[in-house]
Amino acid sequence: MRISELAHAAKVPLPTVKYYQREGLLPPGRAVNARESQYGEEHLSRLRVVRVLVTGLGLTIAQVRHVLDVLDGPQRDPYQAMGEATKNLPLTAPASQTSTPDDDVAMVRALGFTHIIDPQLAGQLGNALRWAAESGVSVTPELLGAYLDATRQIARADFEVIPRTNSRESVSFAVVGTVVMEPVLLALRRLAHEELAQEMEDDEG
Amino acid sequence: MRISELAHAAKVPLPTVKYYQREGLLPPGRAVNARESQYGEEHLSRLRVVRVLVTGLGLTIAQVRHVLDVLDGPQRDPYQAMGEATKNLPLTAPASQTSTPDDDVAMVRALGFTHIIDPQLAGQLGNALRWAAESGVSVTPELLGAYLDATRQIARADFEVIPRTNSRESVSFAVVGTVVMEPVLLALRRLAHEELAQEMEDDEG
């Protein structure tokens, strides 16, 4: 396909595709003449990943380049590559999203959150899952189920440390704690990944 | 204390303290004469929270103001306030930190990650826990233990979906999956909080 077709297929504006190319995030196409190059499926999947990392997760160009370097680098063990990709990455955040379709509320209800009626919160999860899917990662029901179990355990533990009074102190503790524990959670997941990768290496070694 | 003493105690530069005050993030002190105001412990703890949210987690001033509005608002139930504080907040990220002292490696080893030798990853957790402590949230051993158990379950589930080959596809799946699942994890924790808050309300209603 031509570069304009590539841009259309990945839902990235053409000038942005050219910018990614100048920044080395997208390899050149196969030149067919002096003015035109052809692009294949590997360009499309790469461009989709770059789009998710930049637009979905809000990474800088330098951070995206680091992730791609790990993808393209000589390191071939996927478990080691995971740690390599994230260890120089700040704990990431998606850009704020606005779409909150009813479908997301239905999806969240189907996950078992029957109490939940906040469409904004449902939209956050919907967006996060759509960005994952668009990057080519399939979130299986088993994987999502494991995340669900684990986050419910965490939420119960969070609630247990909050003083059960309606004082200003307990509100402050709950609100600030919710926000500041997010980086702790992400850091622990990365440590657990590294632990498992090391154990597998030891088993094989 | 004077504003210069307040700034020193909270480790925030004086011009930054004045900026926070102009932005309404810090209430005025008690005027003692035309040129001087006095500040108390409540100003210090507020300033520490603002510092963690801005410097530690990288929130914008508008996002910090939203969190503080929830803290100061009429809503007095801490569990409802948690959802209120985060629902308009993008899933947060700490600013990248550079300090990676040996103490953090020792701390991570004491948590049971005996395999881990990456000081940068240990430093990420250390920083996240220090920011939590500086904001006045005490991370108890029980809470940290619950987070540990849950993140190890998540890491095992992550590893199970990665194809056990050293192909380029499995590396891509592992690396991209690690990054894109972070927002999913944070969104699920918020949903689990809301679920628990609703259940408590139903029990009391």
Side-chain angles (χ1 to χ4, degrees):
Chain A
M1 67 192 110
R2 294 167 175 216
I3 193 167
S4 58
E5 293 165 322
L6 175 71
H8 182 76
K11 292 185 271 181
V12 176
L14 182 57
T16 306
V17 175
K18 290 179 176 171
Y19 169 69
Y20 290 161
Q21 213 166 30
R22 282 198 303 277
E23 291 289 331
L25 306 184
L26 187 71
R30 184 175 53 82
V32 287
N33 62 45
R35 288 211 316 254
E36 203 180 305
S37 293
Q38 280 289 315
Y39 295 84
E41 283 304 315
E42 72 282 13
H43 292 94
L44 182 55
S45 64
R46 168 59 53 100
L47 185 53
R48 283 195 172 124
V49 167
V50 171
R51 175 172 169 259
V52 167
L53 296 181
V54 173
T55 310
L57 305 187
L59 298 195
T60 66
I61 297 298
Q63 288 162 356
V64 174
R65 189 180 291 118
H66 174 75
V67 172
L68 297 179
D69 283 349
V70 175
L71 285 182
D72 298 336
Q75 167 67 271
R76 293 293 81 207
D77 179 337
Y79 307 102
Q80 296 296 340
M82 290 166 78
E84 199 55 45
T86 50
K87 81 174 183 184
N88 291 310
L89 206 65
L91 305 174
T92 59
S96 172
Q97 302 291 329
T98 50
S99 90
T100 56
D102 292 343
D103 286 354
D104 287 343
V105 173
M107 181 271 294
V108 165
R109 286 185 187 281
L111 288 178
F113 289 110
T114 50
H115 280 295
I116 307 293
I117 49 159
D118 183 345
Q120 196 166 356
L121 208 46
Q124 278 190 346
L125 180 62
N127 280 316
L129 291 173
R130 275 188 291 277
W131 285 120
E134 287 199 27
S135 73
V137 172
S138 67
V139 183
T140 63
E142 291 74 22
L143 183 61
L144 198 55
Y147 273 67
L148 269 171
D149 287 348
T151 47
R152 283 190 169 122
Q153 286 175 35
I154 287 168
R156 278 193 295 271
D158 288 332
F159 271 38
E160 272 168 25
V161 294
I162 300 168
R164 293 204 63 161
T165 60
N166 287 355
S167 68
R168 188 159 292 272
E169 285 67 33
S170 65
V171 173
S172 175
F173 194 86
V175 167
V176 176
T178 297
V179 177
V180 297
M181 288 305 279
E182 292 189 345
V184 174
L185 180 56
L186 299 187
L188 283 173
R189 175 168 172 258
R190 293 180 183 182
L191 282 166
H193 282 159
E194 186 169 314
E195 180 177 58
L196 284 177
Q198 282 285 349
E199 282 174 7
M200 289 175 66
E201 205 168 70
D202 291 351
D203 286 351
E204 286 160 15
Chain B
M1 67 191 112
R2 296 166 174 218
I3 193 166
S4 58
E5 293 165 323
L6 175 71
H8 182 76
K11 292 185 268 180
V12 176
L14 182 57
T16 306
V17 175
K18 291 180 175 170
Y19 169 68
Y20 290 161
Q21 212 165 30
R22 283 196 304 276
E23 292 289 330
L25 306 183
L26 187 71
R30 185 175 53 84
V32 288
N33 62 47
R35 289 212 316 255
E36 203 179 307
S37 294
Q38 280 289 313
Y39 295 83
E41 282 304 316
E42 73 281 13
H43 292 94
L44 182 55
S45 64
R46 168 60 55 100
L47 185 54
R48 283 194 172 127
V49 166
V50 171
R51 174 171 170 260
V52 167
L53 296 181
V54 174
T55 310
L57 305 187
L59 298 195
T60 66
I61 297 298
Q63 288 162 357
V64 174
R65 190 180 290 118
H66 174 75
V67 172
L68 298 179
D69 282 350
V70 175
L71 285 183
D72 298 335
Q75 167 66 271
R76 294 292 81 210
D77 180 338
Y79 306 102
Q80 295 296 340
M82 290 167 78
E84 200 54 45
T86 50
K87 82 174 181 185
N88 291 309
L89 206 66
L91 304 174
T92 58
S96 171
Q97 301 291 330
T98 49
S99 91
T100 56
D102 292 343
D103 286 355
D104 287 343
V105 173
M107 180 270 295
V108 165
R109 284 184 187 282
L111 288 177
F113 289 110
T114 49
H115 279 296
I116 306 294
I117 48 159
D118 183 344
Q120 197 165 357
L121 207 46
Q124 277 190 344
L125 181 63
N127 280 316
L129 291 172
R130 273 188 291 277
W131 285 120
E134 287 199 27
S135 72
V137 172
S138 67
V139 182
T140 63
E142 291 74 22
L143 183 62
L144 198 55
Y147 273 68
L148 269 172
D149 287 347
T151 46
R152 283 190 168 124
Q153 286 175 37
I154 287 168
R156 278 193 296 271
D158 288 332
F159 271 39
E160 272 167 26
V161 295
I162 300 168
R164 291 205 64 159
T165 60
N166 286 357
S167 69
R168 189 160 289 272
E169 285 68 32
S170 65
V171 172
S172 175
F173 194 87
V175 167
V176 176
T178 297
V179 177
V180 297
M181 288 303 280
E182 292 189 346
V184 173
L185 180 56
L186 299 188
L188 284 173
R189 174 169 172 258
R190 293 181 184 183
L191 282 166
H193 281 159
E194 187 170 311
E195 180 177 57
L196 284 176
Q198 281 285 350
E199 282 173 7
M200 289 176 67
E201 205 168 70
D202 292 351
D203 286 351
E204 286 160 14

